[in-house]
Amino acid sequence: MNDSRIIVALDYPTKSLAMEFVDKVDPGLCKLKVGKQLFTGCGPDIVESLVNKGFDVFLDLKFHDIPNTVYEACKSAVNLGVWMLNIHAIGGKEMLCAARQAVPADGSKHLLIAVTVLTSTSDQDLKDFGISYSAVDMVMKLAQMTADAGLDGVVCSAHETVQLRQTFGKEFYLITPGIRPADINADDQKRIKTPSEAILSGSNFLVIGRPVTQSNDPVATLIAIKDEIESVLN
Ligand code: C5P
């Protein structure tokens, strides 16, 4: 595993567009995330290509299904050589435990992470679903289920990381999308923080898509974010 704290979301429609960006960056600069758009458009070959180039790959397919189906899907993901994969915590305890069985807890070789509440979901959205918890309370509840099932950590927003870190300790991975540099708009994300705020509040890895991929100069933007992170780490 390289030591970069940035995971770039390769949300591109085709392999050639994704590789146009990938060919300009080094595995030491960032990790890469393959999500639903790229995976559905290109298939699993894209993951193997990125792994063969030396990148740590986060397969962000957010599995949520019956326990047996999730177990088998997680096994297939591990066979692709991914560094990290995720499932939805809302799938419940039995599904979380089935996933853990499929992905052995072997240190940092394959990290199994559960999505709590999407960073595009607000307190009002939860109310509209009929859920009386606030986003932070819902995240804490789902994180507890995730920890009880022995998973390696959660996807959350950087608004919840301080409380999560206090409750679950420093070994529990906190992965935060919803990252926006100060001068960039939120798009559809609602619970956002800047890269330095997210790092200072305890995030292990920042997932960043459009601020980089839709920049006029994606590599320069990525390096600027890396510098911002390093300035607060030092
Ligand atoms: O473009 P942007 O930086 O908003 O991209 C965020 C990425 O992180 C997207 O690929 C999205 O699917 C993913 N993600 C998220 N919220 C989560 C889990 C994953 O935004 N809770």
Side-chain angles (χ1 to χ4, degrees):
M1 184 178 81
N2 69 55
D3 60 6
S4 172
R5 309 274 293 263
I6 304 172
I7 304 173
V8 174
L10 289 179
D11 292 329
Y12 291 104
T14 64
K15 182 172 182 178
S16 61
L17 282 171
M19 294 318 267
E20 209 175 288
F21 169 78
V22 171
D23 287 340
K24 291 184 198 139
V25 293
D26 180 271
L29 183 59
C30 63
K31 301 173 192 305
L32 299 173
K33 181 173 89 66
V34 175
K36 291 185 170 94
Q37 181 184 12
L38 191 60
F39 192 87
T40 308
C42 308
D45 283 0
I46 182 76
V47 176
E48 285 174 321
S49 303
L50 300 173
V51 170
N52 290 340
K53 277 178 159 285
F55 285 94
D56 292 329
V57 177
F58 171 19
L59 185 64
D60 176 26
L61 296 180
K62 302 185 184 70
F63 297 134
H64 181 190
D65 210 311
I66 61 171
N68 182 63
T69 300
V70 168
Y71 172 88
E72 297 296 349
C74 287
K75 285 219 136 188
S76 297
V78 165
N79 289 340
L80 290 174
V82 301
W83 156 70
M84 183 189 286
L85 68 152
N86 63 2
I87 60 180
H88 265 293
I90 199 86
K93 192 176 169 191
E94 204 185 323
M95 193 201 84
L96 290 166
C97 291
R100 180 72 288 178
Q101 278 186 350
V103 187
D106 54 1
S108 60
K109 203 166 167 219
H110 304 285
L111 295 176
L112 178 63
I113 304 292
V115 177
T116 53
V117 178
L118 293 172
T119 42
S120 55
T121 301
S122 65
D123 287 346
Q124 184 58 48
D125 293 325
L126 291 176
K127 269 196 197 128
D128 293 345
F129 299 149
I131 294 170
S132 56
Y133 290 112
S134 64
V136 63
D137 289 346
M138 189 74 183
V139 167
M140 293 305 292
K141 195 172 178 57
L142 292 169
Q144 187 64 61
M145 279 175 51
T146 302
D148 290 346
L151 270 65
D152 300 301
V154 290
V155 182
C156 56
S157 89
H159 290 257
E160 297 97 37
T161 42
V162 169
Q163 201 172 329
L164 285 164
R165 188 64 72 212
Q166 277 165 2
T167 308
F168 298 103
K170 63 178 180 5
E171 304 297 329
F172 198 62
Y173 284 90
L174 304 177
I175 320 300
T176 56
I179 302 297
R180 288 293 178 275
D183 53 346
I184 294 188
N185 76 63
D187 302 303
D188 53 354
Q189 297 284 14
K190 293 184 186 141
R191 302 189 337 272
I192 61 170
K193 291 265 189 192
T194 66
S196 47
E197 286 169 342
I199 289 290
L200 288 172
S201 64
S203 172
N204 294 97
F205 298 107
L206 316 185
V207 176
I208 309 177
R210 287 162 289 184
V212 170
T213 58
Q214 295 186 7
S215 159
N216 290 333
D217 188 342
V219 178
T221 302
L222 179 56
I223 290 171
I225 294 171
K226 182 176 172 271
D227 290 346
E228 178 183 332
I229 290 173
E230 278 172 6
S231 73
V232 295
L233 285 173
N234 294 329

